[in-house]
Amino acid sequence: MRSLILIRLDPAAAPEGGPDDQLMKDMNELIEEMTKAGVLLDTAGLRPIEEGTRIRQAGGTQTVIDGPFTESKEIVGGYCLLQTRTNEEAVEWARRFLRVHGPEWEIGVEVRQLDGEG
Amino acid sequence: MTGADAPGHAARQAVEAAWRIEWPRLVAALTRLAGDIATAEELAQDALVAALEQWPRDGVPPNPGGWLMVTAKHRAVDRIRRDANFARKLELLGREAITAEQPVGEPDSAITDDLLRMIFTACHPVLTPPARAALTLRMVGGLTTAEIARAYLVPESTVAQRIVRAKRTIATKRIPYEVPAGPELTQRLDSVLEVIYLIFNEGYAATSGDRWVRAELCEDAVRLARILTGLLPEEPEAHGLAALLELQASRTPARSDADNGLVLLADQDRSRWNRLYIRRGFAALGRAHTLERGRGRAPGRYALQAAIAAVHAMAPTAADTDWRRIAGLYALLAERFPSPIVELNRAVAVSMVHGPGAGLDLVDKIAGSGALADYHLLHAVRGDLLERLGRAAEARAAFERAAELTGNEIERELLLRRADSGSNPAG
């Protein structure tokens, strides 16, 4: 099965200057471990939401809004696409992803199984 | 509050996940210490049982892999104390620091070495191919015997017995737990690649049963290939195999219709091919080529097959397929790794470039040599070419012969349908 891990965080509560060197190092090690375990299909961080664009459609009318979006508190900051045999396994990898973050981080993930898979 | 919120539930989930994630590394390291796979498995099992007892009570440790490794080593020491026969092993264990502070108990290179030893042992040519596949899925893929049995549609006892026998063979023949060196490495690596390839093929075109594709088994094989590229990043053919399997697996969603029927390559809805797997396949193929060039070598058999799969992947529709290029790649494959199966595939490609008559000449040459007489696809391809040449009666006979020979129900239905449609142009 494949699972999309969406990483959610509140940029206002995130440490100034983003991830420090230690976190980047730990994260790279974890990504390498996931790659070597054959479970990581794809992963990326996302550019700040200020640079994003939202397009809404209601009643057949589209509204295009460029960032920043002041009303958003928690945003998706990145994702991992995993292939595992069980959901538990995907959840544990997601927990390991969170665990490399220090106490200064307020961060969560959402583990979502892709539709149409066993 | 639902059960999912209970700490016990989370802990059980963590143990289940640890089994899957840590089992191969745990058993691989313990095999090196304990000297045999069976003892290592018992020790790992003991550690997992301990986790089931303790994690719900004390919480999941920050480093589950390290915890399990340390616990297993403690269990080993306990056993040795109880059992004088293990005295020799105590000495071995003494050399290993027993500490929870190390990340996952071992430095990364030690994990890599242990897993490589395990995969080379599990794929040792002294074992029968089914035993190699079962042992590899169990010891490297981390599957349970029940899961392997389900994947292969055989009773669990059969798989368990296969694994027990394989372990006994390894012990009695004194197969060293090591990564072969020098020219033996190349030869033994072939065996490893072949085992993973066979596992994939069993899932991709099931030789028996009523399901055409067993996607989970394909996924297991692709995962094993990815693990192997991680263990042997400098081996071009490991990447070649990974490329081939990623590219083949990209078609899985399009290979079955809503009724689980088989959809042939030409008829597949290519928008359903998995673009990410295709991209990963291309990346792995590029890596394989770069490594081969670096060694001044021509592409290996898996990289060549991956190159053929890549040509298919590049064609937006079946009609856009560059058959000339595919025929050329098969010719190269046939020259370097001659086999009747490759010849058969080449015949199909040649028929797409030079017409069914040219393809039939090649197929009849294979048939004339006596090779593949009982291989259903030889007759299926022959039927197809005869049909395209308007030789309906002969085509029908060929399709019927193919249907007789296949062990897969879905495939049989398709072949019988084709036999019928040939004799009844209105249908």
Side-chain angles (χ1 to χ4, degrees):
Chain A
M1 66 173 70
R2 281 178 298 163
S3 307
L4 186 65
I5 317 264
L6 293 165
I7 299 135
R8 294 181 175 278
L9 74 169
D10 174 1
E16 200 90 22
D20 60 17
D21 291 349
Q22 185 60 43
L23 177 55
M24 289 309 283
K25 187 176 158 287
D26 292 346
M27 192 94 83
N28 284 336
E29 272 174 24
L30 181 66
I31 285 173
E32 199 186 325
E33 196 187 336
M34 290 161 103
T35 306
K36 283 185 172 175
V39 298
L40 183 66
L41 293 179
D42 194 21
T43 183
L46 303 184
R47 297 282 305 160
I49 187 103
E50 288 78 19
E51 299 171 26
T53 301
R54 280 178 183 174
I55 309 169
R56 294 267 309 158
Q57 178 164 318
T61 308
Q62 289 189 348
T63 322
V64 180
I65 312 162
D66 289 321
F69 310 99
T70 44
E71 79 283 8
S72 342
K73 196 169 159 350
E74 264 207 333
I75 57 148
V76 175
Y79 72 91
C80 300
L81 186 61
L82 303 187
Q83 187 160 42
T84 58
R85 227 180 198 263
T86 65
N87 187 53
E88 285 78 9
E89 200 188 337
V91 169
E92 173 59 20
W93 284 113
R95 289 169 60 112
R96 288 182 187 191
F97 173 84
L98 289 181
R99 229 178 269 141
V100 297
H101 291 76
E104 68 278 19
W105 285 87
E106 203 174 303
I107 187 169
V109 295
E110 208 173 297
V111 181
R112 305 280 301 274
Q113 198 181 323
L114 267 63
D115 195 13
E117 313 214 350
Chain B
M1 286 282 135
T2 64
D5 297 314
H9 176 82
R12 271 195 305 281
Q13 275 202 335
V15 175
E16 154 84 13
W19 177 282
R20 186 79 55 187
I21 297 170
E22 307 299 345
W23 170 265
R25 305 193 273 199
L26 204 55
V27 181
L30 290 166
T31 301
R32 177 168 46 82
L33 297 176
D36 75 296
I37 298 174
T39 310
E41 273 191 287
E42 280 172 40
L43 292 168
Q45 190 114 24
D46 284 355
L48 283 157
V49 170
L52 268 176
E53 287 163 9
Q54 292 181 35
W55 293 5
R57 190 183 64 217
D58 307 337
V60 178
N63 177 358
W67 189 98
L68 289 166
M69 187 68 80
V70 169
T71 305
K73 286 181 184 174
H74 281 307
R75 298 271 152 151
V77 172
D78 287 347
R79 277 180 61 140
I80 290 156
R81 286 204 184 109
R82 283 199 310 264
D83 185 347
N85 290 337
F86 282 101
R88 189 184 54 83
K89 286 165 190 164
L90 178 62
E91 200 186 316
L92 279 170
L93 278 169
R95 288 191 223 137
E96 298 272 329
I98 298 182
T99 158
E101 272 117 56
Q102 285 168 296
V104 206
E106 310 272 338
D108 186 57
S109 63
I111 293 170
T112 301
D113 292 348
D114 284 333
L115 272 176
L116 264 179
R117 281 187 195 102
M118 184 56 86
I119 202 164
F120 275 102
T121 306
C123 296
H124 198 284
V126 78
L127 304 171
T128 64
R132 283 182 230 173
L135 201 57
T136 303
L137 283 167
R138 171 101 183 110
M139 308 311 295
V140 185
L143 269 66
T144 62
T145 43
E147 285 169 334
I148 300 168
R150 266 203 302 280
Y152 276 90
L153 307 175
V154 293
E156 194 179 337
S157 57
T158 306
V159 173
Q161 204 174 29
R162 238 172 236 173
I163 292 175
V164 166
R165 277 209 199 117
K167 285 190 284 204
R168 200 184 301 142
T169 306
I170 289 166
T172 53
K173 303 226 168 178
R174 298 184 184 280
I175 304 301
Y177 188 61
E178 64 184 21
V179 180
E184 207 199 334
L185 175 70
T186 318
Q187 197 192 344
R188 292 275 303 278
L189 181 60
D190 281 349
S191 174
V192 173
L193 296 165
E194 194 191 355
V195 169
I196 299 174
Y197 186 58
L198 289 177
I199 291 171
F200 183 88
N201 272 341
E202 184 57 33
Y204 199 64
T207 47
S208 62
D210 56 4
R211 263 203 302 165
W212 167 242
V213 178
R214 297 208 287 276
E216 277 211 326
L217 199 54
C218 291
E219 281 186 13
D220 291 327
V222 184
R223 186 162 158 182
L224 285 168
R226 291 180 197 137
I227 292 172
L228 193 66
T229 60
L231 295 174
L232 292 168
E234 302 301 319
E235 281 298 331
E237 273 295 82
H239 294 278
L241 179 68
L244 175 61
L245 301 196
E246 299 266 12
L247 288 167
Q248 303 267 61
S250 76
R251 294 184 210 145
T252 305
R255 290 181 76 234
S256 311
D257 59 22
D259 306 320
N260 207 10
L262 153 69
V263 184
L264 295 173
L265 182 60
D267 305 322
Q268 287 170 16
D269 173 0
R270 296 181 179 216
S271 69
R272 296 182 67 199
W273 286 1
N274 187 313
R275 311 311 302 176
L276 176 62
Y277 291 177
I278 291 176
R279 182 150 57 80
R280 291 176 56 86
F282 274 86
L285 185 56
R287 182 92 191 115
H289 283 324
T290 306
L291 288 167
E292 276 151 354
R293 267 200 303 276
R295 294 180 176 198
R297 283 196 336 207
R301 74 173 73 211
Y302 296 107
L304 275 172
Q305 291 181 71
I308 292 164
V311 178
H312 286 299
M314 276 187 282
T317 69
D320 295 315
T321 308
D322 186 349
W323 284 107
R324 202 168 289 277
R325 184 164 167 71
I326 291 176
L329 286 164
Y330 271 121
L332 200 58
L333 196 61
E335 186 191 305
R336 302 208 37 227
F337 307 98
S339 97
I341 302 259
V342 171
E343 278 300 324
L344 183 61
N345 285 313
R346 188 165 84 85
V348 173
V350 165
S351 81
M352 299 305 282
V353 181
H354 301 291
L360 189 62
D361 286 348
L362 286 173
V363 172
D364 284 340
K365 213 149 97 191
I366 305 165
S369 75
L372 305 184
D374 294 332
Y375 183 53
H376 66 283
L377 286 181
L378 176 97
H379 301 281
V381 167
R382 238 187 128 247
D384 186 65
L385 296 170
L386 287 163
E387 196 179 79
R388 279 159 63 192
L389 287 165
R391 291 155 65 174
E394 289 167 89
R396 183 193 173 106
F399 280 127
E400 280 172 351
R401 179 80 187 118
E404 269 170 44
L405 289 168
T406 181
N408 185 288
E409 278 309 317
I410 306 282
E411 209 169 21
R412 193 189 327 274
E413 273 170 39
L414 179 94
L415 289 162
L416 289 175
R417 227 171 25 244
R418 293 208 60 185
D420 279 346
S421 71
S423 62
N424 175 15

